[in-house]
Amino acid sequence: MTAHIIDGKAFAAGLGDRIAEGAAAFADRTGRAPGLAVVLVGSDPASEIYVRSKGLMARKLGMESFEHTLPAETTQDTLMALIAELNANEAVDGILVQLPLPDHLDSLQVIEAIDPAKDVDGLHPLSAGYLASGLPGLVSCTPLGCLMLLKDQLGSLSGLDAIVVGRSILVGKPMAQLLLAENCTVTMAHSRTADLAEKVGKADIVVAAVGRAEMIKGDWIKDGATVIDVGTSRVIRDGQKYLVGDVDFAAASEKARAITPVPGGVGPMTIMTLMHNTLIAAYRRKNYPVPELGA
Amino acid sequence: MTAHIIDGKAFAAGLGDRIAEGAAAFADRTGRAPGLAVVLVGSDPASEIYVRSKGLMARKLGMESFEHTLPAETTQDTLMALIAELNANEAVDGILVQLPLPDHLDSLQVIEAIDPAKDVDGLHPLSAGYLASGLPGLVSCTPLGCLMLLKDQLGSLSGLDAIVVGRSILVGKPMAQLLLAENCTVTMAHSRTADLAEKVGKADIVVAAVGRAEMIKGDWIKDGATVIDVGTSRVIRDGQKYLVGDVDFAAASEKARAITPVPGGVGPMTIMTLMHNTLIAAYRRKNYPVPELGA
């Protein structure tokens, strides 16, 4: 079997069209576009790129973008005051604080200060609790994007065996909750897991979110499995730089039914699910029925 | 192999002694005993028994017990006002609302109104989120009791394969999070799980929390596994009434290394972990270091 290569870029583009429609309908109804506020502290170059691309995408989809760039020496009090202001601002539906923050700042206090109704990154412990309790809330962007790709590939996930490798708060843990809510039998594996190859080999769905280049070998994959690779590692081979995932893509493609490439798989989904969350937050805050986004 | 029968009653008694010491030390330091408020709405006979036994146990361990019994026709507003009063009452460290509430009341709104620092039942979505995020919080009593028994039996759980059968918000889901935090590889199984027997047969730790009499067969259990049975079902056999668990105890005892009986296993732990949570809440609310309770 040669796997179908899941085109995350194309899926994200289609989702973007639906979000843009939803944003336009929201603006027609309320007289204002859904608004996303992004807060950056300091001048980390990678963070600056992320923040800029989020603002660009929001505007492209017909949303308002509020960008707040604060100097690296910003105090906790100043940042907390900004969060309070964004919480109170009716035009702001989503608040994202770009992580990591400089070391002298208390990230958890900042995240817990965000109004959970505006927590479009799904990072607030209350958002995690809503997810764990099966209550409506905002879900961390990357796992939400993975779930969308899986449902697009497989339709119903009910009764399938899924393994999530990696247990980060941002990806692995919410991913497991999402798969459980879809009635998968979910195994949460990690660095202490015994016989990982055997466990991966039993799974109909493999989500790899470890961040170790090609640590999941192709011959571990069950015939016909669907593989979602969240990892991205930079490697140098024969003097060339490559971006590779957690899964040995070439070998796994011989076994899987469908697989995400790195890059071009999960990556393009993450920014789009952020837009998705912002739109949903806007609708929910108005108590409007959330439009069908096909996800 | 004939399994060691885990004596939950004896473990709970030992834990109770340590809690009583902690409560006495707290009273010495603050001039007041740790306080547990239990709220009962209506007159369900089973709920009345639970509430009474919680109050008795609290007093037995040297805590203050505040019992609030409201008529079945209590309005949401009245109940919410009582919660607000208990939140504000400095002498109250823990608040437990006995569930289920009468149908006309909104349980979630009530639970979300409880100060998370006093949520000794671990039911607030923020408590679930703290658990999912690896942050300190209060953990649902029954899974906490199961974890204590497992650690008492096995010491370190790191690297062991665990299966949790049942995915309730009260037991299965927090149990999985607790085992993951102990570095188990955790599989969450449920009614849609395929090949449950095979999956149970791979597990070093089986936690059964389904509520279906003896649905887990003895010959499914891996040799030397540790089995925690949360289920209790009433059955009638040969005209006699019995209480049985989710696991076929007699047959499983031939395979397991250790197993909880029903009754006398997990059951006695639940009320004691409630006392444990009340004591912890009292210490944390004062910013005192939490005493070592051996759990």
Side-chain angles (χ1 to χ4, degrees):
Chain A
M1 180 176 272
T2 301
H4 168 70
I5 312 298
I6 299 171
D7 186 344
K9 210 169 157 186
F11 186 92
L15 177 60
D17 291 344
R18 298 190 291 278
I19 293 170
E21 279 172 34
F26 183 89
D28 279 350
R29 191 161 173 185
T30 63
R32 69 166 182 86
L36 172 63
V38 180
V39 178
L40 173 65
V41 183
S43 55
D44 177 68
S47 290
E48 282 182 339
I49 291 171
Y50 292 141
V51 165
R52 197 174 317 128
S53 61
K54 287 166 186 171
L56 284 171
M57 183 62 83
R59 283 190 292 275
K60 184 182 161 193
L61 301 185
M63 300 192 196
E64 189 84 41
S65 170
F66 306 91
E67 285 151 58
H68 296 264
T69 305
L70 306 178
E73 61 274 18
T74 297
T75 64
Q76 186 80 13
D77 285 351
T78 303
L79 184 53
M80 293 295 280
L82 174 59
I83 299 295
E85 189 189 308
L86 296 173
N87 282 342
N89 185 342
E90 266 311 303
V92 172
D93 297 294
I95 301 170
L96 181 147
V97 177
Q98 186 69 40
L99 300 178
L101 290 173
D103 286 343
H104 69 282
L105 295 173
D106 178 345
S107 304
L108 182 62
Q109 193 193 29
V110 172
I111 288 165
E112 289 207 82
I114 296 172
D115 176 352
K118 299 187 177 187
D119 174 37
V120 287
D121 231 1
L123 282 181
H124 195 294
L126 193 59
S127 300
Y130 285 142
L131 180 60
S133 306
L135 296 168
L138 291 161
V139 177
S140 183
C141 298
T142 299
L144 182 59
C146 296
L147 183 72
M148 288 180 184
L149 294 178
L150 282 168
K151 289 175 78 170
D152 184 52
Q153 289 299 314
L154 294 168
S156 169
L157 311 184
S158 182
L160 296 179
D161 289 336
I163 190 165
V164 178
V165 188
R167 55 175 161 171
S168 67
I169 292 168
L170 259 178
V171 183
K173 287 181 162 197
M175 187 77 243
Q177 294 289 347
L178 288 169
L179 291 166
L180 188 63
E182 296 292 329
N183 296 320
C184 290
T185 303
V186 183
T187 297
M188 293 182 284
H190 45 78
S191 56
R192 308 292 180 88
T193 291
D195 306 320
L196 182 61
E198 186 197 323
K199 291 184 175 78
V200 168
K202 298 271 184 195
D204 305 305
I205 293 170
V206 179
V207 179
V210 179
R212 280 179 55 200
E214 299 180 342
M215 60 99 59
I216 293 179
K217 304 303 169 200
D219 60 4
W220 296 3
I221 303 294
K222 178 178 171 175
D223 280 319
T226 301
V227 178
I228 303 290
D229 192 346
V230 182
T232 49
S233 305
R234 280 161 217 284
V235 297
I236 297 176
R237 279 173 196 160
D238 304 327
Q240 286 274 56
K241 287 183 191 170
Y242 293 93
L243 212 56
V244 300
D246 288 345
V247 180
D248 179 351
F249 179 82
S253 299
E254 300 298 309
K255 304 263 283 176
R257 171 190 190 278
I259 186 168
T260 56
V262 176
V266 172
M269 289 299 294
T270 296
I271 190 168
M272 205 53 83
T273 46
L274 174 65
M275 302 300 135
H276 167 274
N277 281 353
T278 304
L279 186 73
I280 283 187
Y283 274 82
R284 285 198 187 139
R285 291 182 61 244
K286 289 280 183 191
N287 284 316
Y288 296 163
V290 175
E292 182 52 65
L293 295 170
Chain B
M1 179 176 270
T2 300
H4 169 70
I5 311 299
I6 299 171
D7 187 344
K9 210 171 157 184
F11 187 91
L15 176 60
D17 291 344
R18 298 190 291 280
I19 293 169
E21 280 173 32
F26 183 89
D28 279 351
R29 192 159 171 186
T30 64
R32 70 165 181 87
L36 172 63
V38 181
V39 178
L40 173 65
V41 182
S43 53
D44 176 68
S47 291
E48 282 182 340
I49 292 171
Y50 292 139
V51 165
R52 197 173 318 128
S53 61
K54 287 165 187 173
L56 283 171
M57 183 62 81
R59 284 191 291 274
K60 184 181 163 194
L61 302 184
M63 301 194 197
E64 188 85 41
S65 170
F66 305 91
E67 285 152 56
H68 295 265
T69 305
L70 305 179
E73 61 274 17
T74 297
T75 64
Q76 186 80 13
D77 285 351
T78 303
L79 183 53
M80 294 295 282
L82 173 59
I83 300 296
E85 190 189 309
L86 296 173
N87 282 342
N89 185 342
E90 267 312 303
V92 172
D93 296 294
I95 301 170
L96 181 148
V97 177
Q98 185 69 40
L99 300 178
L101 290 172
D103 286 343
H104 69 283
L105 295 172
D106 179 345
S107 303
L108 181 62
Q109 193 194 28
V110 172
I111 288 164
E112 289 207 82
I114 296 172
D115 176 353
K118 299 187 178 188
D119 175 36
V120 286
D121 230 2
L123 282 182
H124 196 295
L126 194 61
S127 300
Y130 285 142
L131 179 60
S133 306
L135 296 167
L138 292 161
V139 177
S140 182
C141 298
T142 299
L144 182 60
C146 295
L147 183 73
M148 288 179 183
L149 294 178
L150 281 167
K151 290 175 78 170
D152 184 53
Q153 288 299 313
L154 294 168
S156 168
L157 311 184
S158 183
L160 296 180
D161 290 335
I163 189 166
V164 178
V165 188
R167 54 175 160 171
S168 68
I169 293 170
L170 260 177
V171 183
K173 287 180 159 196
M175 187 77 244
Q177 295 289 348
L178 288 169
L179 291 167
L180 188 64
E182 296 292 328
N183 295 320
C184 289
T185 303
V186 183
T187 297
M188 294 181 282
H190 44 78
S191 56
R192 310 291 180 88
T193 291
D195 304 320
L196 181 61
E198 187 197 324
K199 292 183 174 80
V200 168
K202 300 271 184 193
D204 305 305
I205 293 170
V206 179
V207 180
V210 179
R212 280 178 55 199
E214 300 181 342
M215 61 97 61
I216 294 178
K217 303 304 169 199
D219 59 5
W220 297 2
I221 302 295
K222 178 177 171 175
D223 279 320
T226 301
V227 178
I228 304 290
D229 193 347
V230 182
T232 49
S233 304
R234 280 163 216 284
V235 297
I236 297 177
R237 279 173 196 161
D238 304 327
Q240 285 274 54
K241 287 183 192 171
Y242 294 93
L243 211 57
V244 300
D246 288 345
V247 180
D248 179 352
F249 179 82
S253 299
E254 299 299 308
K255 304 265 280 178
R257 170 189 191 279
I259 185 168
T260 56
V262 175
V266 172
M269 289 300 293
T270 295
I271 191 169
M272 205 53 84
T273 46
L274 174 66
M275 302 299 134
H276 167 274
N277 281 352
T278 303
L279 187 73
I280 282 187
Y283 273 82
R284 286 199 186 139
R285 290 182 62 243
K286 288 281 182 190
N287 284 317
Y288 296 164
V290 175
E292 183 52 63
L293 295 170

